[in-house]
């Protein structure tokens, strides 16, 4: 539907653009004439003039950048009470103070006030704690998806009306073709008049069709100026043909689509009016002759702020206000002195330069706009849930999607982007202009191991030298340039230290550079074209930083194009498309049609129940759908009594999830290579088993737990004498050549060849008398042997070298204390019967501990994010990161029911839902789903039918394994069922 809507919008805009100077009347005209007539009849001549005046206000005087003497609440209230002004335009402040002031101002006004704001990129342009959408230049980079811009306009309108605002002085319709423009630049959609027009129309329609008056600016075009009209009067020297064909084009398109308002710029344009030093706001040939008569515009005509030097420099003391009305304007915005203005306007009426009838006509037009905005049935702003209503999750989704579509890849040497072959890369990230690790770097770190560095904007030579000295050992540098200014006067925030370091990094031949700022800043850099990769993000926000990192790793495609010409290397429409390559994308539930508030509340409730009921001290929950991680949250603490809170990057003991994240993965790989046959027997790959009772057991039966193997053997008990002492050649309390392997740090070591004893115990163990399903650890203890025998590589190296490092799942490891601090590893049980210690950073399972912490049935540790990467590869039938890591056939074969005719629910290695719900899987899981649970409180589950991926990590065995509330309360399955239930509502 969105694609169709975008196409219809495109056709509508372009069809209207082809019709010259035919204006569609705005919708507010001739609204509720009875109310308009009745209100008008109560107004004195002076009050009718006052209806054409809009005064400035702030809701936070301390932060005001305008004169607090005239904009403070008392001064504004006086103007409303005494002069009966028609409207208020709000500047600095916050939403709650502004709403309260709005209600107060409306309560003391004879006629309901029109409330206006400059909210070009959202209410956040003026007030805090509200939504900030992308700049218009960022939106200009989006290709062919103007429906998103329409939705942005619609959402902004809803937010504005919720705050009691009726007019947005937007969109900016200026065509910015001057790189040195000090006042428009990033506020424009770009330099192409057609693109500016179609995007401005989409934005305008979105606002107006959701009940917000608009005012396109800055007529007749402020895009090709080198002077800021806030401080002086810019001069436009182009001839009439150029102005007609270029600057006026977007305004005509907007008028043809029912534009409700136009704002006149303070510009001197000799081609349109030769009067020296006369701003266009005061020019009758521009306002009345061109805009109203020639172009046929019937909507409201607003002045730009009448306190700007572009008008007051030559026309002070209220004279400009009178001249503006004489020129043809309807509303004077930001009048400096209302009393002087009214006095000067009355002089103009008396002198016949403007008639009372003209004043009355414009007053009626203002009242019609008020009626259209609903002020004929005025209601105060409701204060309850104001903040929540002004910050809806839908706006966050729109922000994310707009940003994603705009990101522009300007350089991609040898198709380096998106990054592949992660196992060959040693990566450092560098944020220039940052005082700490940035959002950009944090998101980069979700994809693989990266070392992070940063350099402050005003770094010393010593800081710069120190940074460069640390980067020599890396073969890839991911550089973020964080620009703190949008102004060309300040080089867009590119400081000399940043520029010099950036020059060296791009010259190294190892840098992929992401620019978080104005695209014209490329002109201030030394040879950015030398970068291996270059991503233009247009501004520095959490969205641009987050999504630029995701683009680099191929979670999202690169689709944007430069909306302006920067230089010969980076011309208009430059930009290369880069593909998404199947890596996890990180987003919010709304992108998948789910409600964040509902999802979060329900999952929070279950997780908190688990913690309050002491089912586990803490946990991590991560969920993805369609390859998009939409929920990722940590709860509780490492232990009930300790201070350490659970972090998203904490490593957990995965227990039996090792079976399908390590052993089964390796077996699928060997099956792909035709080195492992599921229908071969145990003796085929374990020669020592040739004369055992297990010799002829087929691996397919073994891997589905239906080969009569015992569930487990208490191996540590077999090493113990009746009196509790250890048998000879089993354990020692001191490390030596004979006892090299630690079972418990500094207190217990196992005999060097004891693994052979363990394997012999498994080989010689009796079989169960009856056939049928019995879950068994025994065969999984043997798979590392098989992997070594068939590949020549040890188990852990095989997994890391061929899978984990390729996937960027580098935290997946055995014996994690070799690589991670204890505070990053969550403890498990207090072992009171074998190792007699708190287990922390060492495997919980006793048999795995006796094998040096490395086994095929337990021993793997990792973070939720890295576990999910493996499982997303499974869910995508072996594809991840642009590579077919495993064959589709392997995933199909291993994850299907093997013996459904016997009632067995098992796949090869994987667990699957029982045919009649029993609680081993989520209640709503499809028959195609597969997963596993872990003894320490772990669960992983993937559902191809719903494209769902779920990871739950906990340490339910702390302090004791006797606590099984995690299962009795159905904590793990209940969380995934929350998602199923939400999806079933759709």
């Amino acid at each position: 539907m969105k694609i169709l809507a975008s196409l219809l919008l495109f056709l509508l805009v372009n069809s209207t653009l082809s019709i010259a100077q035919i204006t569609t009347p705005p919708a507010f005209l001739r609204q509720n004439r009875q109310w308009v007539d009745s209100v008008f009849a109560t107004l004195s001549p002076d009050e009718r003039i006052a209806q054409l005046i809009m005064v400035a206000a702030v809701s936070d005087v301390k932060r005001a950048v305008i004169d607090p003497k005239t904009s403070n609440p008392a001064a504004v209230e006086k103007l409303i009470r005494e002069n009966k002004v028609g409207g208020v335009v709000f500047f600095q402040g916050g939403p709650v103070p502004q709403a309260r002031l709005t209600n107060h101002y409306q309560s003391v006004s004879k006629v309901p006030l029109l409330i206006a704001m400059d909210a070009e990129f959202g209410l956040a342009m003026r007030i805090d704690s509200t939504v900030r959408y992308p700049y218009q230049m960022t939106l200009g980079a989006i290709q062919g998806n103007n429906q998103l811009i329409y939705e942005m306009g619609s959402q902004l309108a809803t937010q504005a009306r919720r705050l009691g605002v009726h007019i947005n002085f937007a969109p900016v319709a200026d065509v910015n073709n001057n790189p040195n423009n000090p006042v428009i630049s990033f506020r424009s959609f770009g330099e192409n008049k057609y693109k500016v027009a179609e995007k401005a129309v989409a934005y305008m329609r979105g606002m107006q069709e959701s009940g917000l008056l608009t005012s396109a600016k800055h007529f007749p075009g402020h895009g090709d100026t080198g002077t800021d009209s806030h401080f002086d009067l810019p001069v436009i020297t182009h001839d009439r043909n150029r102005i007609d064909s270029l600057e006026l084009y977007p305004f005509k398109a907007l008028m043809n689509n029912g534009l409700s308002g136009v704002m006149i710029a303070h510009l001197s344009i000799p081609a349109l009016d030769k009067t020296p030093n006369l701003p266009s706001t005061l020019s009758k040939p521009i306002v009345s002759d061109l805009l109203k008569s020639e172009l046929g515009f019937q909507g409201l005509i607003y002045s730009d702020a009448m306190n700007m030097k572009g008008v007051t420099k030559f026309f002070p003391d209220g004279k400009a206000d009178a001249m503006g009305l004489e020129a043809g304007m309807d509303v004077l915005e930001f009048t400096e002195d209302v009393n002087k203005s009214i006095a000067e306007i009355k002089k103009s009426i008396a002198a016949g330069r403007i008639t009372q009838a003209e004043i009355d006509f414009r007053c009626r037009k203002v009242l019609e706009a008020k009626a259209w905005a609903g002020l004929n049935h005025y209601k105060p702003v409701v204060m309850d849930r104001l903040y929540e209503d002004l910050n809806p999750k839908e706006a966050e989704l729109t922000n994310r999607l707009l940003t994603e579509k705009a990101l522009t890849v300007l350089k991609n040497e040898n198709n380096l982007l998106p990054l592949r072959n992660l196992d060959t890369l040693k990566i450092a990230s560098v944020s220039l202009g940052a005082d700490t690790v940035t959002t950009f770097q944090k998101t980069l770190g979700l994809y693989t191991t990266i070392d992070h560095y940063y350099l402050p904007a005003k770094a010393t030579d010593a800081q710069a030298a120190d940074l460069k000295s640390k980067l020599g050992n890396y073969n890839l540098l991911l550089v973020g340039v964080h620009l703190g200014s949008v102004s060309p006067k300040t080089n867009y925030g590119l400081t000399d230290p940043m520029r010099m370091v950036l020059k060296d990094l791009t010259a190294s031949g190892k840098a992929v550079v992401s620019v978080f700022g104005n695209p014209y800043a490329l002109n201030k850099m030394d040879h950015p074209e030398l970068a291996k990769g270059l991503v233009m993000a247009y501004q520095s926000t959490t969205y641009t930083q987050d999504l630029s990192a995701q683009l680099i790793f191929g979670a999202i495609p690169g689709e944007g194009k430069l909306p302006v010409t920067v230089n010969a290397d980076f011309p208009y429409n430059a930009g290369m498309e880069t593909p998404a390559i199947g890596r996890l994308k990180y987003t919010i539930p709304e992108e998948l049609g789910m409600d964040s508030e509902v999802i979060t509340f329900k999952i929070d409730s279950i997780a908190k129940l688990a913690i309050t009921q002491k089912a586990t001290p803490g946990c991590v929950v991560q969920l993805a759908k369609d390859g998009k991680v939409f929920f990722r949250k940590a709860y509780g603490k490492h232990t009930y009594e300790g201070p350490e809170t659970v972090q998203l990057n904490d490593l957990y003991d995965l227990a039996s999830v090792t079976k399908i994240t390590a052993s089964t993965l390796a077996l699928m790989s060997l099956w792909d290579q035709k080195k492992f046959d599921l229908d071969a027997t145990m003796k085929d790959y374990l020669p020592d088993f040739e004369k055992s009772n297990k010799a002829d057991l087929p691996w397919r039966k073994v891997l589905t737990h239906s080969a009569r193997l015992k569930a487990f053997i208490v191996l540590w008990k077999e090493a113990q004498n009746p009196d509790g002492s250890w048998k000879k050649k089993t354990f020692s309390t001191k490390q030596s050549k004979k006892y090299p392997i630690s079972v418990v740090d500094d207190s217990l070591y196992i005999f060097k060849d004891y693994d052979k004893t363990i394997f012999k115990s498994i080989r010689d163990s009796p079989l169960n008398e009856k056939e049928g399903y019995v879950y068994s650890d025994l065969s999984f203890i043997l798979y590392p042997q098989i992997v070594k025998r068939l590949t020549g590589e040890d188990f852990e190296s095989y997994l890391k070298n061929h899978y984990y490092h390729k996937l960027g799942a580098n935290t997946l490891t055995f014996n994690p204390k070799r690589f991670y601090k204890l505070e990053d590893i969550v403890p498990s049980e207090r072992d009171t019967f074998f190792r007699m210690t708190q287990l922390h950073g060492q495997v919980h399972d006793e048999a795995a501990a006796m094998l040096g912490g490395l086994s095929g049935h337990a021993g793997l540790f990792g973070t939720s994010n890295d576990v999910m990467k493996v499982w997303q590869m499974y869910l995508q039938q072996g594809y991840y990161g642009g590579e077919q890591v495993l064959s589709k056939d392997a995933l199909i074969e291993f994850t299907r029911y093997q013996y459904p005719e016997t009632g067995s629910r098992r796949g090869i290695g994987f667990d699957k839902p029982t045919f009649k719900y029993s609680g081993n899987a989520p209640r709503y899981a499809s028959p195609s789903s597969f997963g596993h649970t872990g003894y320490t409180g772990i669960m992983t589950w993937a559902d191809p039918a719903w494209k769902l991926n779920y990871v739950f990590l906990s340490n339910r065995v702390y302090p004791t394994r006797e606590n099984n509330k995690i299962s009795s309360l159905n904590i793990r399955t209940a969380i995934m069922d929350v998602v199923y239930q939400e999806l079933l509502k759709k």
Side-chain angles (χ1 to χ4, degrees), residues 71 128 184 205 312 377 386 551 651 699 735 788 805 831 837 890:
S71 62
D128 62 35
I184 303 303
R205 287 187 58 204
T312 61
H377 299 292
L386 179 63
L551 180 150
L651 283 77
W699 286 109
Q735 190 174 29
K788 179 69 178 290
H805 291 169
D831 188 341
T837 188

Side-chain angles (χ1 to χ4, degrees), residues 623-880:
L623 286 150
K625 176 173 166 51
D626 302 335
K628 300 170 184 176
V629 178
F630 64 87
F631 192 92
R632 189 167 176 259
K633 194 168 181 179
Y635 300 87
K637 299 193 298 182
H638 284 198
T639 63
Y640 294 109
E641 66 280 357
E644 298 91 352
T645 57
V646 177
Q647 304 298 314
L648 287 171
N649 291 325
D650 284 341
L651 283 77
Y652 277 80
D653 181 337
L654 301 179
S656 285
V657 168
T658 302
K659 292 181 173 75
I660 35 75
T661 308
S663 292
T664 304
L665 171 58
L667 294 178
M668 282 192 284
S669 175
L670 296 173
W671 185 87
D672 264 347
Q673 300 170 52
K674 302 190 184 308
K675 292 181 178 180
F676 184 79
D677 184 352
L678 288 169
D679 296 312
T681 61
M682 293 189 79
K683 68 176 182 295
D684 293 322
Y685 302 121
L686 295 169
D688 290 348
F689 278 52
E690 186 171 2
K691 295 181 179 180
S692 78
N693 58 1
K694 303 172 185 64
D696 296 322
L697 296 180
W699 286 109
R700 192 181 298 273
K701 286 274 190 178
V702 171
L703 282 159
T704 53
H705 303 279
S706 54
R708 298 170 56 208
L709 294 181
K710 292 289 185 181
F712 59 88
I713 300 171
V714 186
L715 295 166
W716 69 272
K717 277 284 189 184
E718 293 192 349
Q720 200 172 47
N721 292 309
D723 63 359
S725 63
W726 299 118
K727 293 179 182 178
K728 187 179 180 182
K729 293 186 178 180
T730 57
F731 294 104
S732 171
T733 57
K734 293 182 180 180
Q735 190 174 29
S736 65
K737 288 183 179 180
K738 288 186 177 182
Y739 295 88
I741 301 169
S742 173
V743 177
V744 179
D745 290 343
D746 301 323
S747 62
L748 193 64
Y749 301 89
I750 197 165
F751 186 68
K752 62 179 180 177
D753 295 324
Y754 198 77
D755 58 337
K756 295 181 176 63
T757 302
I758 292 174
F759 301 145
K760 183 177 183 298
S761 294
I762 295 172
R763 185 193 66 192
D764 295 343
S765 63
L767 296 174
N768 293 323
E769 293 182 9
K770 295 181 180 179
E771 291 190 357
Y773 172 71
V774 175
Y775 180 79
S776 174
D777 281 348
L778 299 188
S779 75
F780 284 89
I781 295 174
L782 305 172
Y783 295 129
Q785 282 190 77
I786 294 174
V787 171
K788 179 69 178 290
R789 185 183 299 274
L790 297 180
T791 68
E793 294 182 70
D794 68 78
F795 188 56
E796 183 174 25
S797 296
Y798 185 79
L799 290 166
K800 288 184 174 180
N801 293 338
H802 297 280
Y803 295 98
Y804 298 160
H805 291 169
K806 283 187 176 183
L807 299 175
N810 297 321
T811 65
L812 294 182
T813 190
F814 297 87
N815 295 312
K817 287 194 293 185
R818 294 175 294 166
F819 311 109
Y820 297 95
K821 299 175 182 177
L822 274 181
E823 55 262 38
D824 297 327
I825 307 170
V826 179
S828 57
E829 186 175 9
R830 291 175 184 164
D831 188 341
T832 58
F833 47 87
F834 170 34
R835 287 161 285 183
M836 313 305 289
T837 188
Q838 169 65 62
L839 302 177
H840 193 181
Q842 49 204 324
V843 64
H844 176 268
D845 183 89
E846 297 89 351
M850 293 171 70
L851 289 163
L854 193 154
S855 178
H857 76 295
L860 192 66
F861 284 70
T863 65
S864 63
N865 196 48
D866 281 354
V867 172
M868 181 165 276
K869 291 171 188 175
V870 176
W871 281 75
Q872 191 61 36
M873 181 267 288
Y874 290 166
L875 200 54
Q876 293 170 177
Q877 294 193 317
Y879 178 81
Y880 194 84

Side-chain angles (χ1 to χ4, degrees), residues 10-58:
F10 176 80
L11 293 173
L12 176 60
V13 171
N14 283 277
S15 65
T16 55
L17 299 187
S18 65
I19 304 172
Q21 300 178 16
I22 297 176
T23 297
T24 301
F28 75 81
L29 290 178
R30 290 170 288 282
Q31 284 284 315
N32 206 319
R33 296 305 294 267
Q34 184 177 356
W35 181 82
V36 170
D37 289 344
S38 65
V39 172
F40 180 80
T42 68
L43 301 177
S44 68
D46 281 9
E47 290 170 349
R48 295 171 194 171
I49 294 172
Q51 283 296 301
L52 311 183
I53 293 175
M54 186 171 282
V55 296
V58 295

